[in-house]
């Protein structure tokens, strides 16, 4: 068996982003660029049926501070029992975090709160451990907060603080790539992995199975998984095909 085959597989997390009760995809995370793909429950069930072990579920309205899709999220999680759900969007205090776990999320992806309220973020990282991932949404080396509408500080300074707090996992998104089908930012991922021993999940820009092959090659450096969104919805490849490539 070759060394490559001994490498752990790349975990794929198909994304279900919810706005106004619908499954949507944005371009570069910008409000108003939504393309609608119908019922989020149907989307999640389809990914589960195709073999997803994880689903990355996002409440975009909560992330943008313009409402929430709690009932849709709850129904979606209920319909894909047996599949792990990573939930993101608008989780900024004890109440919203506890509610997200109560409705069945296996892991919470903290974004803005980790940047704007570091003391709280450190306390929930200590309390919940593996159930907390920290989303690092980046333009260049500047973090983006509040649904990517505000600057959230320097990536490396924030990472140093999160490392000290014991963050269990990072979800790294190049905002300029997200929803563009232009390929992931491999260099950014390498730089982040050089600064942590924690697992990293990539997000943004995947356009082809070749991109998944390129990410698969980063697994020995600490890349655990990747979120896949628009490419799946646009039919660039199927989740079954992507899972096959990710496990080779």
């Amino acid at each position: 068996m070759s060394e490559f085959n001994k490498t752990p597989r790349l975990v794929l997390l198909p994304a279900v982003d919810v706005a106004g009760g619908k499954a949507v995809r944005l371009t570069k995370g910008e409000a108003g660029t939504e393309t609608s793909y119908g019922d989020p429950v149907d989307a999640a069930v389809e990914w589960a049926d195709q073999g997803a072990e994880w689903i990355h579920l996002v409440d975009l309205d909560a992330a943008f501070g313009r409402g929430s899709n709690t009932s849709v999220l709850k129904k979606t999680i209920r319909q894909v029992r047996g599949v792990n759900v990573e939930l993101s969007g608008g989780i900024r205090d004890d109440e919203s975090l506890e509610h997200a776990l109560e409705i069945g999320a296996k892991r919470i992806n903290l974004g803005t709160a980790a940047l704007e309220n570091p003391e709280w973020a450190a306390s929930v990282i200590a309390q919940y451990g593996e159930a907390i991932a920290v989303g690092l949404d980046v333009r260049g080396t500047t973090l983006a907060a509040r649904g990517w509408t505000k600057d959230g500080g320097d990536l490396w300074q924030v990472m140093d603080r999160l490392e000290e707090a014991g963050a269990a996992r990072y979800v790294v998104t190049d905002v300029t790539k997200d929803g563009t089908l232009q390929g992931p930012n491999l260099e950014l991922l390498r730089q982040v992995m050089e600064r942590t021993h924690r697992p990293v999940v990539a997000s943004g820009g995947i356009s082809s199975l070749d991109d998944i092959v390129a990410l698969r090659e980063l697994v020995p450096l600490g890349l655990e998984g990747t979120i896949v969104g628009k490419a799946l919805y646009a039919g660039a490849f199927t989740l079954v095909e992507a899972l096959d490539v990710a496990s080779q």
Side-chain angles (χ1 to χ4, degrees):
M1 185 181 276
S2 72
E3 283 299 310
F4 186 74
N5 287 334
K6 290 180 187 172
T7 304
R9 65 200 165 79
L10 182 72
V11 178
L12 299 187
L13 300 86
V16 180
D17 292 4
V18 185
K22 301 290 185 191
V24 303
R25 297 303 299 162
L26 304 183
T27 302
K28 299 184 181 180
E30 293 172 6
T33 64
E34 292 91 347
T35 303
S36 179
Y37 291 97
D39 187 342
V41 178
D42 292 346
V45 168
E46 182 178 345
W47 306 142
D49 288 347
Q50 288 191 37
E53 291 178 42
W54 280 90
I55 286 171
H56 182 73
L57 184 61
V58 184
D59 188 337
L60 287 173
D61 292 322
F64 285 115
R66 63 189 186 195
S68 84
N69 292 277
T70 299
S71 60
V72 176
L73 302 180
K74 192 186 289 188
K75 186 178 177 188
T76 302
I77 293 170
R78 198 168 58 235
Q79 291 297 318
V80 292
R81 283 203 196 285
V83 177
N84 297 309
V85 173
E86 177 177 83
L87 187 60
S88 185
I91 299 164
R92 297 183 181 132
D93 54 28
D94 288 334
E95 186 181 4
S96 52
L97 173 57
E98 286 161 12
H99 178 70
L101 293 169
E102 278 167 13
I103 65 173
K106 175 84 170 178
R107 191 160 73 209
I108 305 304
N109 188 28
L110 290 185
T112 297
L115 309 180
E116 294 186 353
N117 194 345
E119 292 82 10
W120 178 76
S123 74
V124 297
I125 285 167
Q127 183 177 353
Y128 294 101
E130 284 285 329
I132 304 292
V134 178
L136 299 173
D137 302 333
V138 190
R139 289 188 187 91
T141 58
T142 301
L143 288 158
R146 296 275 164 188
W148 300 352
T149 60
K150 299 240 169 39
D151 285 352
D154 177 74
L155 169 62
W156 309 125
Q157 288 177 1
V158 170
M159 262 198 82
D160 287 345
R161 191 182 76 222
L162 290 164
E163 284 287 289
E164 203 172 304
R169 179 177 279 94
Y170 300 103
V171 179
V172 179
T173 305
D174 181 340
V175 176
T176 66
K177 296 269 192 180
D178 194 65
T180 66
L181 302 175
Q182 291 178 350
N185 186 336
L186 302 177
E187 185 53 36
L188 171 66
L189 294 167
R190 284 194 189 94
Q191 289 173 3
V192 168
M193 289 185 292
E194 282 170 8
R195 289 174 177 253
T196 183
H197 296 298
R198 303 296 189 175
V200 172
V201 176
S203 175
I206 287 182
S207 64
S208 67
L209 293 174
D210 286 343
D211 289 335
I212 292 175
V213 171
L215 290 169
R216 174 81 176 78
E217 290 170 0
L218 298 183
V219 169
L221 303 180
L223 192 70
E224 178 183 67
T226 185
I227 295 165
V228 189
K230 190 169 275 189
L232 283 175
Y233 289 90
F237 49 80
T238 67
L239 183 58
V240 172
E241 290 169 334
L243 288 167
D244 184 50
V245 169
S247 62
Q248 287 178 8

